[in-house]
Amino acid sequence: CRCRALLRRPAGAPQALRGMAAGPDMHFGFETVTEEERREKIYQVFESVAKKYDVMNDSMTLGIHRVWKDILINRMNPTPGTLLLDVAGGTGDIAFRFINYVRSVRQQQLQRKLKHNQNLSWQEIFESYQEGNSNSLGDSQVVVCDINREMLKVGKQKAQHLGYSEGLSWVLGNAEELPFDDDNFDVYTIAFGIRNVTRIDLALQEAYRVLKPGGRFLCLEFSHVSNPVLSSLYDLYSFQVIPVLGEIIAGDWKSYQYLVESIRQFPPQEELKAMIEDAGFFKVDYENLNFGIVAIHSGFKL
Amino acid sequence: GRARLSHSDPRGWDGRVGPEEEVEEEGWHGLYPGHIRTSPLQKALLAAGSAVVALCDPYRHDMVAVLGETTGCLALPNLRDKMRHHPEGYRILQERPRICLSTLDMSRLRELPDGSLGREYVRFLEDNKVSPDTRMPPKFVDDEELAYVIQRYREVHDLMHTLLGMPTNMLGEVVVKWFEAVQTGLPMCVLGAAFGPVRLSARKLQVLATELVPWAIRSGLNASCVLNVYYEQRWEQPVESLREEIGIFPPP
């Protein structure tokens, strides 16, 4: 039936292994490539999509990705003073939300403090304002780390445009080999990035390493839809519509073809949970959003 | 790895290598380099989407190209057949000449006498600051010969400008589109001809409607198929003689 033809993965049976270059076989979407080739190809994908990344996210998910990211920060529930590492954070979506959240929590804290101190002298009140102003984030900080220069560039421009400067740093780095010391961060997030990492196990080990004891690992990523009806509709939309959107909006069919294929290749919820546990995390759990189209995985370093 | 041609037409549909073709196409599974296979639903979505974007932003040449490819399923075979049944057109299909900077000897063309096709073509390129290398390669045409036909149509477009004496501003482009619409029947040309004028001023619209479009239509109907002319072998021919031979009336 024609429907099935539409749902079938598009033409492109995996290519034969090529090159004598180092590295075992890996997948790039539905193609088979070496490890080195995969890293390179993924770098090129993000280099090419960087400028239209946000527009495409909005078009493909009809704006719902914003809700997913809001929920992630909500689950994180950071308190002022938290040090966050956002890996593969490219264009800054998580970082900006984090800053907004701690800022509002901080506001509430200060307001509560003021209410409490109704009988202070005017001098004491004035001093507390000074403190408040220079500390609207309460010493919270977020480090955005990404392997791709173009994505970081877009992120920095956005930050400037939206007026984010305090508590924000941008670092070029590889999730498989982070340029940070051990036991450094309170929270580690990776939103829609772990799918593009070539050695997920290494990235998880690095996440464990750089987190402080008691630190939390949070991963927001596309996952598997178990409901068969929804799964068919989701496949139809992914394979038929998304590459077309990529061509029309960004003039780039291939990158978005890669995107939908890479989602299918990514381990499902339970498998990812097991991988996170393997890296040493405890109390690993996941929460499905939108029937499994997206899942938030969480774990703690104890 | 290098692009594999083993499972495509051994002729390789582009005979020579332009600078843009030296980029290797890794793992392409189509009929020609750059070919992306699409389902009918995808073609329909592409046609609709590219039409909207092309209307809103006429500078998105890639969208105009995509529109042409996804809607040309009737017109392209028609054009290909016209070429097959004409001796010069047939030769073009066999030899697959390309018009790009690497195949054109610009200095030789510049030295040709004024009024010759080659000289006037180079003058057109320089006056309007365009290059023959900016044409999009086809992606969504599912037949490699038809992909060449549409590529040839794109590359010959600048020569149409030269033969019709039209510049590359909005007005000139619309006139050429009218001519091409009549000549080729490509829906993309018809849409461009119909909707292009919405961005023109009233004065230009008047000139368009009263003089230019009627002339373009008459010439288009009268002329033989413009894809059946082996332009690369006619650089020395005077433009006027070529116009007469094809059947294009002198521009107003």
Side-chain angles (χ1 to χ4, degrees), chain A residues 160-180:
Chain A
Q160 225 181 17
H161 180 69
L162 296 170
Y164 292 98
S165 53
E166 217 189 318
L168 186 56
S169 328
W170 305 85
V171 174
L172 188 70
N174 183 346
E176 297 170 10
E177 206 180 327
L178 291 171
F180 306 112

Side-chain angles (χ1 to χ4, degrees), chain A residues 119-185:
Chain A
N119 51 349
L120 290 179
S121 74
W122 63 264
Q123 208 156 15
E124 286 164 307
I125 296 177
F126 180 65
E127 270 162 26
S128 78
Y129 282 167
Q130 303 280 60
E131 212 186 289
N133 278 346
S134 63
N135 218 340
S136 64
L137 291 181
D139 286 330
S140 321
Q141 272 194 71
V142 52
V143 177
V144 180
C145 180
D146 200 296
I147 199 175
N148 193 296
R149 270 194 190 81
E150 284 307 310
M151 294 290 280
L152 277 179
K153 210 161 84 169
V154 172
K156 282 190 210 165
Q157 283 168 354
K158 239 168 83 172
Q160 225 181 17
H161 180 69
L162 296 170
Y164 292 98
S165 53
E166 217 189 318
L168 186 56
S169 328
W170 305 85
V171 174
L172 188 70
N174 183 346
E176 297 170 10
E177 206 180 327
L178 291 171
F180 306 112
D181 276 333
D182 302 3
D183 305 323
N184 219 323
F185 297 96

Side-chain angles (χ1 to χ4, degrees), chain B residues 204-245:
Chain B
K204 287 193 177 156
L205 270 176
Q206 210 194 12
V207 175
L208 191 69
T210 53
E211 286 176 35
L212 296 172
V213 167
W215 162 70
I217 296 179
R218 268 185 302 125
S219 294
L221 289 171
N222 188 52
S224 60
C225 180
V226 287
L227 288 183
N228 278 337
V229 180
Y230 208 133
Y231 298 100
E232 292 91 328
Q233 294 177 347
R234 290 163 176 268
W235 293 127
E236 291 87 4
Q237 187 174 0
V239 170
E240 297 197 353
S241 131
L242 187 56
R243 263 190 211 135
E244 233 187 275
E245 189 183 326

Side-chain angles (χ1 to χ4, degrees), chain A residues 235-300:
Chain A
D235 278 353
L236 182 74
Y237 178 74
S238 296
F239 285 100
Q240 296 301 313
V241 178
I242 288 184
V244 172
L245 279 177
E247 179 69 25
I248 304 264
I249 297 177
D252 189 348
W253 177 285
K254 295 217 154 97
S255 294
Y256 291 90
Q257 182 73 38
Y258 159 72
L259 177 98
V260 296
E261 290 178 0
S262 71
I263 293 178
R264 298 303 176 291
Q265 296 287 59
F266 189 69
Q269 288 84 333
E270 283 294 331
E271 209 180 304
L272 183 59
K273 175 176 171 192
M275 290 171 82
I276 298 173
E277 282 168 344
D278 281 345
F281 289 100
F282 286 94
K283 202 139 180 351
V284 180
D285 204 7
Y286 62 85
E287 181 187 347
N288 276 347
L289 302 179
N290 289 122
F291 300 103
I293 294 183
V294 161
I296 297 180
H297 280 72
S298 160
F300 290 91

Side-chain angles (χ1 to χ4, degrees), chain B residues 8-252:
Chain B
S8 76
D9 186 326
R11 269 182 299 177
W13 71 280
D14 43 13
R16 49 33 325 114
V17 175
E20 73 276 23
E21 250 93 354
E22 260 147 38
V23 175
E24 42 187 356
E25 272 287 1
E26 292 261 343
W28 52 273
H29 315 289
L31 300 165
Y32 49 86
H35 181 212
I36 297 175
R37 290 186 195 274
T38 43
S39 67
L41 173 62
Q42 285 175 320
K43 287 202 177 67
L45 291 171
L46 276 170
S50 60
V52 169
V53 175
L55 269 174
C56 298
D57 183 2
Y59 291 102
R60 283 290 301 270
H61 297 299
D62 60 330
M63 286 295 103
V64 177
V66 169
L67 182 60
E69 289 166 34
T70 49
T71 53
C73 38
L74 287 173
L76 283 175
N78 219 331
L79 275 174
R80 188 255 312 266
D81 290 341
K82 276 195 199 159
M83 289 175 81
R84 270 205 193 137
H85 295 128
H86 187 279
E88 219 171 320
Y90 187 77
R91 252 191 316 125
I92 295 174
L93 281 177
Q94 291 294 92
E95 291 169 29
R96 306 277 179 100
R98 296 287 307 276
I99 301 177
C100 49
L101 281 176
S102 55
T103 57
L104 294 176
D105 187 350
M106 298 295 277
S107 45
R108 181 179 85 89
L109 294 179
R110 225 173 264 125
E111 278 157 24
L112 290 172
D114 283 345
S116 63
L117 181 66
R119 183 71 194 92
E120 295 310 311
Y121 176 60
V122 172
R123 182 169 293 148
F124 164 81
L125 291 177
E126 288 170 350
D127 284 350
N128 291 277
K129 297 192 184 44
V130 291
S131 147
D133 280 354
T134 56
R135 300 292 153 195
M136 298 274 314
K139 293 196 280 237
F140 303 112
V141 181
D142 289 336
D143 175 305
E144 112 6 278
E145 194 174 29
L146 294 181
Y148 174 74
V149 172
I150 207 173
Q151 180 80 1
R152 181 78 184 160
Y153 152 75
R154 285 179 191 156
E155 289 176 356
V156 154
H157 177 79
D158 287 336
L159 282 159
M160 291 302 101
H161 273 279
T162 312
L163 285 175
L164 296 170
M166 290 289 128
T168 55
N169 56 23
M170 200 66 202
L171 183 63
E173 291 290 351
V174 171
V175 176
V176 177
K177 275 285 164 294
W178 274 97
F179 178 79
E180 286 176 344
V182 172
Q183 273 274 310
T184 64
L186 281 167
M188 177 264 282
C189 297
V190 175
L191 285 171
F195 289 98
V198 304
R199 296 176 172 270
L200 293 172
S201 65
R203 188 175 50 86
K204 287 193 177 156
L205 270 176
Q206 210 194 12
V207 175
L208 191 69
T210 53
E211 286 176 35
L212 296 172
V213 167
W215 162 70
I217 296 179
R218 268 185 302 125
S219 294
L221 289 171
N222 188 52
S224 60
C225 180
V226 287
L227 288 183
N228 278 337
V229 180
Y230 208 133
Y231 298 100
E232 292 91 328
Q233 294 177 347
R234 290 163 176 268
W235 293 127
E236 291 87 4
Q237 187 174 0
V239 170
E240 297 197 353
S241 131
L242 187 56
R243 263 190 211 135
E244 233 187 275
E245 189 183 326
I246 299 177
I248 300 175
F249 299 123

Side-chain angles (χ1 to χ4, degrees), chain A residues 16 64 116 131 182 196 199 212 227 240 256 266 280 295:
Chain A
I64 302 176
H116 251 250
E131 212 186 289
D182 302 3
N196 300 303
R199 291 283 305 275
K212 289 184 190 151
N227 179 316
Q240 296 301 313
Y256 291 90
F266 189 69

Side-chain angles (χ1 to χ4, degrees), chain A residues 65-127:
Chain A
H65 73 106
R66 298 167 184 240
V67 176
W68 292 332
K69 289 166 181 162
D70 287 339
I71 295 179
L72 178 71
I73 296 294
N74 236 289
R75 294 293 176 268
M76 191 196 295
N77 194 12
T79 50
T82 301
L83 180 51
L84 167 68
L85 172 63
D86 182 32
V87 175
T91 55
D93 279 348
I94 302 297
F96 303 150
R97 282 173 170 75
F98 171 80
I99 290 176
N100 292 343
Y101 195 96
V102 294
R103 203 178 266 156
S104 84
V105 171
R106 181 75 180 144
Q107 285 275 59
Q108 287 173 8
Q109 271 181 354
L110 291 174
Q111 274 185 335
R112 243 177 283 139
K113 216 162 80 168
L114 275 178
K115 266 208 191 113
H116 251 250
N117 302 335
Q118 293 286 6
N119 51 349
L120 290 179
S121 74
W122 63 264
Q123 208 156 15
E124 286 164 307
I125 296 177
F126 180 65
E127 270 162 26

